[in-house]
Amino acid sequence: MGRPSSAEYETGLTEGTAVAVAAGEWGKGVHVPEARDKGALLWTERPLFVGQCCSYLGETCAGCMTVTDRYTGAEPMPAIPKGCEKDAALFAAPEGAPPAAVPGAHECEWYCSAACRDASYARFHRLVCSAAYRALLAEWYGRAENVKLYNQRLLALKLLCTVCIGPLPAGHAACEEQAKALAHIEALVELPYPVCGGDAAQEAKERAVFDALAAVVAAAQGGAVPEDFTFARYLTMLSKLKANAVELDLGLRLAGERPARVDAQKASALFALQAFVNHSCNPSGHRVFYNGRLHFLAVRDIAAGEQLLMAYVNPASTLKERQAKLSSHWKILCTCERCTQDTMKLVMLKQLFAGLKAKAQDRAEQPGIP
């Protein structure tokens, strides 16, 4: 099966949902053909790729982050996401016991089902599946450094393996899924600046990480590494992920000190449809992740044909804080309605204070006026 065209890929993403991918005022984005009310569930999707260094523990599926029977938390399921208590029906724990965790070879990653394991193995995991891979995950998880960065590096590895692994045999069950994954990776935009920011020390760190990943691939492939498994392509994948992946709090209720690090609740993930949603500090929707599924909900009434927008930064932050983060990470100068209004308010306040200061100075310069 060949790779789908852009139009075919985008249509396939939105089949069975209440949205469509189309060009708009902010470029290509996700639109609602029909009006939707506040609180409406617009779509649900599984992650396309997951980066979680503690996946070798098997408490959540390495393919979709569904909680498995290896989970050792204080309660059997994740907590309902904060602010979603009124939508509890959407996040009800499934009846029965959690799915039995299915190990990959070498127990380097665990899955919620044999189907999830086999799909991951066919798309990318067979390139790294080895005891060396499990050892690398354990090493990364054990470090005290920022786990977000290691989760992103793991995601970059999975994307790089996907583009390097080569076509699957005709008729393979994962052919269609692999074609969609390749189309999505190709469609992802990169950061508008070098991923290492021109920092030689940071580039040296990423080079060391890449060398460790290449060694894992070599161990799994009997010493062979694909020719296109290169440092330059690794940086490209890392750039795409830093621009498009989302950081998730899985809401796991950890039992005592096990796992000792709260980072077990954290993961990086790439979602095919959500990645097309553009930014606004006055969003029309927001994403909620719960037990292997991302739910996208309307936070206000949305008109027919309107583009869905979500906040890439905390909308409760000040204008200065929002603009600083958007500029530093995405090079975005946000001109949404809220930022425009906040800017006008600041300008008016500055003008008011300048006028008051000028009047006070005039009074001070006039003799006989106290």
Side-chain angles (χ1 to χ4, degrees):
M1 176 179 292
R3 192 174 305 183
S5 67
S6 177
E8 291 171 337
Y9 170 65
E10 292 158 12
T11 301
L13 277 182
T14 57
E15 286 177 351
T17 71
V19 298
V21 176
E25 182 181 353
W26 292 272
K28 190 171 288 186
V30 180
H31 299 249
V32 286
E34 299 180 1
R36 302 306 301 269
D37 295 333
K38 178 181 178 179
L41 174 64
L42 302 177
W43 79 85
T44 300
E45 64 177 315
R46 289 161 54 99
L48 192 60
F49 294 96
V50 172
Q52 192 182 23
C53 292
C54 63
S55 58
Y56 71 95
L57 296 173
E59 295 192 291
T60 57
C61 174
C64 66
M65 292 181 288
T66 296
V67 173
T68 74
D69 63 348
R70 288 174 64 89
Y71 172 56
T72 57
E75 296 185 43
M77 290 299 294
I80 292 176
K82 186 178 180 181
C84 294
E85 291 78 11
K86 61 181 176 53
D87 301 310
L90 288 175
F91 308 108
E95 297 181 0
V102 178
H106 307 286
E107 296 187 359
C108 47
E109 288 191 328
W110 294 70
Y111 300 88
C112 63
S113 66
C116 202
R117 176 198 62 193
D118 294 346
S120 295
Y121 185 82
R123 284 197 294 133
F124 57 82
H125 188 66
R126 58 193 163 99
L127 205 58
V128 295
C129 189
S130 64
Y133 181 54
R134 188 186 193 284
L136 181 68
L137 293 181
E139 178 190 347
W140 282 4
Y141 181 56
R143 291 183 179 180
E145 297 179 49
N146 184 1
V147 74
K148 172 183 173 180
L149 181 56
Y150 284 101
N151 286 340
Q152 289 178 342
R153 288 165 170 168
L154 180 56
L155 263 181
L157 169 66
K158 291 184 176 183
L159 265 65
L160 184 55
C161 287
T162 300
V163 299
C164 292
I165 205 165
L168 295 171
H172 193 286
C175 275
E176 183 176 354
E177 190 173 355
Q178 186 194 42
K180 289 181 178 179
L182 289 169
H184 185 70
I185 293 170
E186 186 175 329
L188 292 175
V189 297
E190 297 181 48
L191 291 171
Y193 53 87
V195 69
C196 294
D199 186 332
Q202 183 60 39
E203 185 168 335
K205 286 182 180 180
E206 294 302 338
R207 168 67 74 173
V209 168
F210 172 77
D211 289 344
L213 296 175
V216 167
V217 173
Q221 301 299 313
V225 177
E227 288 185 7
D228 47 358
F229 192 95
T230 65
F231 182 55
R233 296 194 81 176
Y234 164 75
L235 292 181
T236 296
M237 298 305 158
L238 194 59
S239 179
K240 286 174 178 275
L241 291 169
K242 285 181 176 289
N244 296 280
V246 296
E247 307 307 317
L248 301 174
D249 186 328
L250 304 186
L252 302 181
R253 296 161 171 158
L254 305 181
E257 296 301 316
R258 169 63 184 83
R261 295 180 59 181
V262 296
D263 294 339
Q265 300 187 71
K266 308 296 182 181
S268 294
L270 188 62
F271 293 90
L273 185 52
Q274 183 268 328
F276 279 99
V277 181
N278 289 316
H279 164 79
S280 173
C281 297
N282 185 28
S284 55
H286 76 131
R287 54 176 169 78
V288 178
F289 184 81
Y290 184 76
N291 195 33
R293 300 292 185 276
L294 180 141
H295 303 74
F296 203 92
L297 305 168
V299 296
R300 59 171 172 78
D301 292 345
I302 304 173
E306 184 179 346
Q307 181 174 179
L308 285 174
L309 300 168
M310 62 178 285
Y312 290 3
V313 296
N314 185 352
S317 302
T318 66
L319 172 66
K320 183 177 180 180
E321 291 169 339
R322 298 195 311 268
Q323 294 284 16
K325 187 166 185 178
L326 289 168
S327 175
S328 65
H329 190 76
W330 291 281
K331 301 301 180 187
I332 292 175
L333 176 60
C334 186
T335 57
C336 71
E337 182 181 1
R338 183 180 173 194
C339 284
T340 301
Q341 291 176 350
D342 287 352
T343 300
M344 291 176 64
K345 289 177 183 177
L346 284 176
V347 170
M348 292 173 66
L349 283 172
K350 287 180 179 179
Q351 291 174 342
L352 175 62
F353 286 133
L356 292 173
K357 184 178 179 180
K359 286 182 180 180
Q361 189 173 355
D362 288 343
R363 289 176 64 87
E365 291 176 353
Q366 295 181 31
I369 298 180

